[in-house]
Amino acid sequence: MPSDNADKVVLITGINGYIATHIGLQLLQKGYKVRGTSRSTSAKGHLLAGAFKGYESQYEHVEVEDIVASGAFDEAVKGVHAILHTASPVDFTLKTVDAFFGPAIGGNLSILESAKATAGPQLRAFVVTSSIAAIMDRWRQAPDHAYSEADWNEMGESVARREFTAPVAYGASKAAAERAVWKWVEANQPFFAVAAVNPAVVTGPPVSWPTTPDKLNTTLLPIWNIYSGNNVMPPQIGSAGYIDVRDVARMHVWAMEHPDQSNGERYLMSNGKAPPQAAADLLREQFPERDIIVGEPGQGYTKDYWFPQGEASSVSTKAYKALGVPKFITYDRSVLDTVEAFEKQWPGLAQNFKHKN
Ligand code: NDP
């Protein structure tokens, strides 16, 4: 284990989230100390009994009940080497634009203020988990626009305020929250580096588990539903860009470990396009004994899961370069690893066999 990381404490907010636990685990494996924050009192025990088992001596936990409250993170940031801020509402059952905007923007600003005021001069990097939803703007751009880090979702907020849907409000909240970060950086010229990671729809095996599949996060639940025989095709999220959670975690760690290169940068992460139909087709082929929704086979994506001609694309050239890879984990690998993990966690729970013996 690399010992030069042993004295470095990395703060991860929303530590019991799907992406955050992956980041936490990668950092623990690299020998860092991890300090996680959560709203719930049960998160610490849950993580130390599960995803972070064996890393008890490297892990600290702080409860932050209201991430928007002024000074909420003053204690949590003290003495940290880096801050990875992932906490933000990703809950498509929320009913108002402000239910997304409040914690998304307020959380970003509150933790930046705490970082500046109380973290200490050893703080090197602040990485915020933004989203491709902060970049893509299907209301304003041509349908075949090639998106990059230079683009912003500008119309989402007015669309969501005119006619509320949770996914549009969510995307708009990510754009507003990331914009608030860059505005804060411009106004405050912080002594630490600031970077944003902008992932597409994240899949891949979780390392921390809810009690039951219905509590899986917003982007894993559709995979479970397809795999376990639900006969409704889940709605496509955004423009169905895909990315594996392990790559998303690696990108956060890289941005944190390369503050001179990542400072002021956004990293779009989308490895191609894969709507729920692609998961259904793949899982039907891999598990012919299971009853899995048919939908419209082959529709809405290409066999290599790249961006179909004439549709929006979002190529992660910058992120590939940063991580030194030609491409990220493939969609097949991501989904098959996910369902393998489902079976390990909940053996036999998915009962959708065509012929029961
Ligand atoms: P999870 O739902 O697993 O995690 C969300 C995290 O945010 C949880 O830790 C949750 O805490 C915390 N959170 C949510 N609402 C609040 C709130 N009001 N106050 C404090 N904390 C809150 O989802 P993900 O791991 O997927 O999401 C993590 C981050 O990644 C988010 O910022 C999300 O926008 C971003 N992202 C996710 C993508 C995806 O496809 N999954 C794609 C692009 C970006 P608690 O456990 O207490 O509820």
Side-chain angles (χ1 to χ4, degrees):
M1 185 175 293
S3 58
D4 51 342
N5 293 333
D7 296 331
K8 294 177 184 151
V9 180
V10 180
L11 181 73
I12 306 177
T13 66
I15 188 65
N16 51 328
Y18 168 48
I19 295 173
T21 41
H22 268 275
I23 301 172
L25 189 57
Q26 287 188 11
L27 290 172
L28 291 167
Q29 287 165 346
K30 292 188 100 176
Y32 289 97
K33 286 207 168 84
V34 170
R35 185 181 297 164
T37 75
S38 73
R39 292 186 284 188
S40 72
T41 48
S42 57
K44 180 182 178 185
H46 182 68
L47 288 167
L48 288 179
F52 299 165
K53 198 171 165 55
Y55 291 104
E56 294 78 4
S57 63
Q58 281 168 253
Y59 186 72
E60 303 167 3
H61 196 86
V62 182
E63 274 161 40
V64 177
E65 269 177 42
D66 179 6
I67 61 171
V68 175
S70 166
F73 290 101
D74 279 1
E75 282 303 312
V77 299
K78 274 191 185 150
V80 299
H81 170 75
I83 297 171
L84 308 184
H85 179 46
T86 82
S88 196
V90 202
D91 175 358
F92 288 180
T93 66
L94 294 178
K95 298 281 183 262
T96 65
V97 171
D98 293 321
F100 286 100
F101 272 53
I105 301 173
N108 282 2
L109 293 177
S110 137
I111 195 164
L112 282 166
E113 285 297 335
S114 291
K116 181 179 152 193
T118 64
Q122 77 298 322
L123 176 60
R124 298 282 284 126
F126 177 96
V127 182
V128 63
T129 315
S130 186
S131 170
I132 198 168
I135 289 178
M136 297 189 80
D137 190 334
R138 64 188 154 92
W139 305 277
R140 198 167 53 90
Q141 301 288 7
D144 62 349
H145 187 69
Y147 287 91
S148 75
E149 286 85 355
D151 289 301
W152 281 93
N153 173 352
E154 289 179 13
M155 294 294 290
E157 180 173 358
S158 58
V159 173
R161 289 200 187 275
R162 203 167 52 237
E163 192 179 346
F164 177 82
T165 63
V168 174
Y170 164 74
S173 79
K174 297 303 288 184
E178 195 198 326
R179 240 191 242 104
V181 168
W182 295 122
K183 210 170 146 197
W184 185 93
V185 167
E186 206 180 315
N188 289 273
Q189 299 293 314
F191 58 90
F192 48 88
V194 176
V197 178
N198 299 66
V201 179
V202 182
T203 53
V207 288
S208 180
W209 292 89
T211 44
T212 50
D214 58 305
K215 297 191 179 67
L216 282 164
N217 91 314
T218 305
T219 50
L220 283 183
L221 186 58
I223 304 289
W224 167 262
N225 284 341
I226 292 170
Y227 172 68
S228 63
N230 193 314
N231 62 8
V232 178
M233 187 65 79
Q236 175 172 313
I237 300 176
S239 58
Y242 79 89
I243 185 75
D244 189 275
V245 66
R246 293 160 287 192
D247 285 322
V248 175
R250 273 192 275 275
M251 189 73 241
H252 282 77
V253 174
W254 184 92
M256 175 202 115
E257 288 185 330
H258 298 82
D260 295 341
Q261 291 168 66
S262 69
N263 190 24
E265 302 291 338
R266 315 170 84 192
Y267 295 91
L268 185 162
M269 297 193 82
S270 176
N271 206 34
K273 182 189 176 192
Q277 181 68 54
D281 293 347
L282 171 67
L283 293 175
R284 269 199 332 281
E285 188 191 313
Q286 290 289 317
F287 301 98
E289 72 284 10
R290 287 185 182 271
D291 212 348
I292 287 173
I293 189 165
V294 175
E296 297 177 73
Q299 290 301 302
Y301 70 100
T302 62
K303 274 202 178 333
D304 61 357
Y305 308 115
W306 200 237
F307 303 98
Q309 279 223 324
E311 291 191 21
S313 59
S314 46
V315 180
S316 305
T317 314
K318 192 165 148 186
Y320 292 142
K321 193 168 167 221
L323 293 188
V325 293
K327 251 188 118 190
F328 295 126
I329 294 169
T330 63
Y331 190 65
D332 285 0
R333 186 74 278 131
S334 189
V335 170
L336 295 177
D337 286 355
T338 304
V339 298
E340 188 183 330
F342 287 159
E343 274 305 327
K344 265 197 199 135
Q345 182 65 18
W346 295 303
L349 189 63
Q351 282 287 320
N352 51 325
F353 295 107
K354 286 176 179 161
H355 305 289
K356 291 191 178 122
N357 294 321

